[in-house]
Amino acid sequence: MPKIQAATVAEHRATQRRTLLDAARALLAEKPADPPTLAEVAARAGLARPSVYQYFASREDLFSVVLEEAFPRWSARVSTEMERAGGPGEKVLAYARANLELVAEGEHTLARSLAAFAAGGEFADRSRVLHQQLGTPLTQALTDLGAADPAVTAQLINAVVNAGSQLIESGATLDSTAARVRELLTPYLLGG
């Protein structure tokens, strides 16, 4: 039996599980178009491939946990930035900036990897629901702003943010991209 490397077996198991999740996350970020195998995750974590099955039943199970961690982290970051902003227009601008920051930090690459893996089934359905939840604070801010159709306006604003995301992922700087996005959205959101 391998020696545990923590004060208790429970702590050891929690550490090993975290190590596997971090390894999966890193590999997904490095190669977004090629989700890693369990063997690759195990190797990155410094474990034998069969050890992965003590913590996760399958690759889908592992990626589901990565997904369950990624979306709330993204959502919390965006919500925090929106809460710090002033009125509804500033909240929408904070939403755009926070999303662009997360893209610049590599979080979008992880999300794209998970989306590529989630081509169908329950995993894809869960991914879609979590993604829709990310737009709730934006729609609420637009409702508070008095937008005639907040859902459609949110889609249009997300189109601008997505275009900015693509620019950042193609090498544009966060600051220049965020400035252009703010420049485009400010007349509608702040009337100036």
Side-chain angles (χ1 to χ4, degrees):
M1 177 171 222
K3 184 178 177 185
I4 66 168
Q5 301 184 2
T8 67
V9 171
E11 288 175 13
H12 173 76
R13 288 190 55 76
T15 299
Q16 295 290 73
R17 181 178 163 88
R18 178 80 262 149
T19 300
L20 287 165
L21 288 167
D22 291 345
R25 187 178 166 81
L27 289 166
L28 284 162
E30 289 170 14
K31 298 190 300 183
D34 186 22
T37 65
L38 287 180
E40 291 170 321
V41 173
R44 173 64 67 94
L47 298 173
R49 184 181 165 278
S51 298
V52 176
Y53 293 103
Q54 295 176 24
Y55 304 94
F56 302 99
S58 65
R59 188 165 79 146
E60 185 171 287
D61 183 32
L62 171 64
F63 291 166
S64 289
V65 175
V66 173
L67 175 74
E68 291 290 335
E69 289 182 350
F71 276 97
R73 183 181 2 242
W74 188 297
S75 182
R77 172 85 170 270
V78 171
S79 293
T80 297
E81 294 304 317
M82 290 179 76
E83 288 168 10
R84 289 182 183 157
E90 285 295 340
K91 287 184 185 309
V92 175
L93 292 172
Y95 169 91
R97 174 71 189 210
N99 276 285
L100 293 173
E101 287 172 355
L102 285 158
V103 169
E105 293 166 12
E107 289 296 310
H108 192 246
T109 301
L110 174 67
R112 269 198 342 247
S113 290
L114 289 168
F117 179 77
E122 185 178 320
F123 188 85
D125 293 341
R126 182 68 182 136
S127 177
R128 208 170 5 268
V129 167
L130 290 170
H131 199 268
Q132 288 170 347
Q133 290 172 353
L134 290 175
T136 301
L138 172 61
T139 304
Q140 183 59 54
L142 290 166
T143 299
D144 295 345
L145 186 66
D149 190 342
V152 169
T153 305
Q155 288 179 339
L156 293 169
I157 287 171
N158 273 323
V160 172
V161 172
N162 288 337
S165 298
Q166 290 173 359
L167 288 170
I168 290 169
E169 289 177 331
S170 296
T173 67
L174 167 64
D175 289 337
S176 66
T177 303
R180 294 301 73 75
V181 168
R182 185 176 180 90
E183 183 180 304
L184 284 169
L185 297 178
T186 293
Y188 171 72
L189 296 170
L190 302 179

